[in-house]
Amino acid sequence: MSTPHVRSKPRLSPTVVSVIGGAIGVLLLVIGLVTLARTGVPTESFSEPVTTVGPFERTPLMGIIEIIIGVLTVSAAATADRSSLTGLGLVSLVFGLVWMIEPGAFSGLLGVGRETAVLYLVIAVVCLVAGLLGGVWRRERIVEY
């Protein structure tokens, strides 16, 4: 009979990914749903009317976009999927950078400006850190024979 070999293996806890992704997803869902609650579901134009949700101006189209991104982010959080959260962080980074460079370019269609650029840049950083670093490391004891 062989002697058991005991080793420790780092194991990733999905808690941080779930909490961060869930919080961001809920935030985007609230903004998107409040936007549609105030503007109504578009039947003729996706760019009118424009409403304000907190510091953010929004059109119905931006509300729909944020609902979709919110659902994807909550899904990544529910499954603690680090790669999905990283991908959402990269997409948010692109949108945040474009809206920061050209804040007025999409204001007519989406109702976005610099405040939305800042929001999406913050979301990008948080998602990328959580997705790439992945949360809390714990040691798992493994006994092999």
Side-chain angles (χ1 to χ4, degrees):
M1 182 166 167
S2 65
T3 308
H5 174 69
V6 179
R7 66 183 172 96
S8 290
K9 176 183 171 188
R11 188 170 69 92
L12 189 62
S13 171
T15 304
V16 172
V17 174
S18 294
V19 169
I20 290 173
I24 290 171
V26 167
L27 172 70
L28 293 174
L29 281 168
V30 167
I31 293 171
L33 288 167
V34 169
T35 297
L36 287 183
R38 291 182 179 171
T39 63
V41 177
T43 56
E44 294 179 21
S45 173
F46 282 95
S47 61
E48 292 179 3
V50 176
T51 190
T52 302
V53 180
F56 311 109
E57 284 192 0
R58 294 288 185 266
T59 64
L61 179 58
M62 189 62 191
I64 291 168
I65 290 169
E66 283 182 325
I67 290 169
I68 292 167
I69 294 172
V71 167
L72 292 173
T73 307
V74 167
S75 297
T79 60
D81 187 351
R82 292 174 43 212
S83 58
S84 293
L85 199 59
T86 301
L88 288 165
L90 291 170
V91 169
S92 296
L93 179 66
V94 169
F95 281 106
L97 289 172
V98 169
W99 291 332
M100 185 61 76
I101 294 167
E102 291 293 333
F106 296 96
S107 63
L109 182 61
L110 301 175
V112 298
R114 287 206 189 268
E115 61 284 335
T116 300
V118 171
L119 173 67
Y120 275 77
L121 290 173
V122 169
I123 288 172
V125 168
V126 172
C127 284
L128 288 170
V129 167
L132 293 173
L133 297 182
V136 179
W137 286 89
R138 296 186 300 199
R139 289 295 214 189
E140 181 179 72
R141 185 178 162 151
I142 300 170
V143 179
E144 297 173 338
Y145 292 94

